[in-house]
Amino acid sequence: MLDSLTGALELGLLYAFMALGVYITFRILDFPDLTVDGSFTTGGAIAAVMITHGYSAWLATICALLGGMLAGMCTGLLHTKGKINGLLSGILMMIALYSINLRIMGKPNLSLMGEDTVFTSLKPLVVMPFAVIFFKILMDLFLRTDLGLALRATGDNARMIRSFGVNTDTTTILGISLSNGLVALSGALIAQYSSFADISMGIGMIVIGLASVIIGEAIFGAGSVFRATLAVVLGSIVYRIVVASALRVPWLNASDLKLITAIIVIIALVFPSIQRYFRQKSTARKRTEELARLALNRKKGGADYAETR
């Protein structure tokens, strides 16, 4: 049980970068970016190829981040300059990245067994909390700058921010690039953690990212940028713990992972509505009780007045 929990914590921290990336497009830009499924694999592919060719694992990880940013920039250009629907531009880039990732790796999967990775001398549970906190703080600070505020305003009201002279095309491209850079970074770390990169390792990543964001916001709230990014990181960890716990159920198999993910996302999406429903019922019940008490007091007051007469 302890090993399972440790593994869930490690994976939660590794996937936290991907969740932060999805948060940028899903919550800040309000952009339905499906590039994630492709850029996650791109990060793993770049890192795996560079490491197997003798490059430093740290350099390979940085290059993976830059490769993801390039993929995100292409999606942003398709949407802003090519005037292609946001959802469709992400789908087109995801499809293109499948072939590009195959080109990068040269084959469907690439083993890293016996290679030096960032986790060869460092344990994930020791180094990853500091790395995640570092990137989270950097993201918080960036979103408080003028450029970061323009990025947030683009997602809230693009027409309004354009009236102040901000080029929303630039902020959109920047946001999608940063998002996919973080996703690719997560892919590179997962590939090194798992000791292999596979062409299908990114399938369903957008759902996992959304699950982390939604679970984090549902449990921990999202009142400010600091709180929202913290909720996303914690949501990624909670998601992995829930999945690990679910897979310990006797009648569930590892092949049910996607089903479990879908159910978790559905519960996380429905949970706020259920909360709101019971809150409204509680408020209505209290209001009814208060009105009944007022009516009873008024009736009692009338009876007392009649007796005095």
Side-chain angles (χ1 to χ4, degrees), residues 265-277:
V265 172
I266 291 169
I267 293 172
L269 286 170
V270 172
F271 183 70
S273 299
I274 296 173
Q275 271 188 323
R276 199 178 305 113
Y277 171 76

Side-chain angles (χ1 to χ4, degrees), residues 47 90 103 206 239 275:
R103 284 276 188 173
I206 183 63
Y239 167 78
Q275 271 188 323

Side-chain angles (χ1 to χ4, degrees), residues 78-92:
L78 286 175
H79 174 60
T80 57
K81 305 304 180 183
K83 306 301 179 185
I84 299 175
N85 175 270
L87 183 62
L88 183 57
S89 60
I91 292 172
L92 289 171

Side-chain angles (χ1 to χ4, degrees), residues 2-33:
L2 184 59
D3 291 340
S4 177
L5 180 60
T6 301
L9 287 172
E10 290 175 347
L11 286 173
L13 290 167
L14 292 171
Y15 280 108
F17 295 107
M18 186 264 297
L20 286 171
V22 171
Y23 170 76
I24 293 175
T25 50
F26 182 63
R27 283 299 189 215
I28 295 179
L29 279 179
D30 194 23
F31 184 87
D33 186 23

Side-chain angles (χ1 to χ4, degrees), residues 146-147 149-151 153-154 157-172:
D146 290 343
L147 184 56
L149 289 171
L151 179 66
T154 300
N157 192 330
R159 183 177 297 178
M160 180 273 292
I161 197 65
R162 274 197 298 268
S163 68
F164 289 103
V166 175
N167 189 332
T168 54
D169 286 356
T170 301
T171 53
T172 299

Side-chain angles (χ1 to χ4, degrees), residues 1-9 11-12 236-250 252 257 260-261 264:
M1 181 64 181
L2 184 59
D3 291 340
S4 177
L5 180 60
T6 301
L9 287 172
L11 286 173
S236 176
I237 296 172
V238 170
Y239 167 78
R240 280 293 152 186
I241 292 174
V242 171
V243 169
S245 301
L247 290 176
R248 294 178 66 86
V249 176
L252 287 175
L257 179 60
I260 294 169
T261 299
I264 292 171

Side-chain angles (χ1 to χ4, degrees), residues 123-167:
K123 291 185 177 181
L125 207 54
V126 174
V127 68
M128 289 313 301
F130 297 102
V132 171
I133 291 171
F134 174 74
F135 273 88
K136 181 219 174 304
I137 292 173
L138 276 183
M139 187 170 163
D140 291 343
L141 293 174
F142 168 72
L143 291 174
R144 292 178 183 275
T145 63
D146 290 343
L147 184 56
L149 289 171
L151 179 66
R152 292 160 61 186
T154 300
D156 289 336
N157 192 330
R159 183 177 297 178
M160 180 273 292
I161 197 65
R162 274 197 298 268
S163 68
F164 289 103
V166 175
N167 189 332

Side-chain angles (χ1 to χ4, degrees), residues 64-77 93 97 177 180-181:
L65 185 149
L66 296 175
M69 292 183 69
L70 181 61
M73 185 179 70
C74 291
T75 302
L77 288 170
M93 198 61 208
L97 283 174
S177 298
N180 284 279

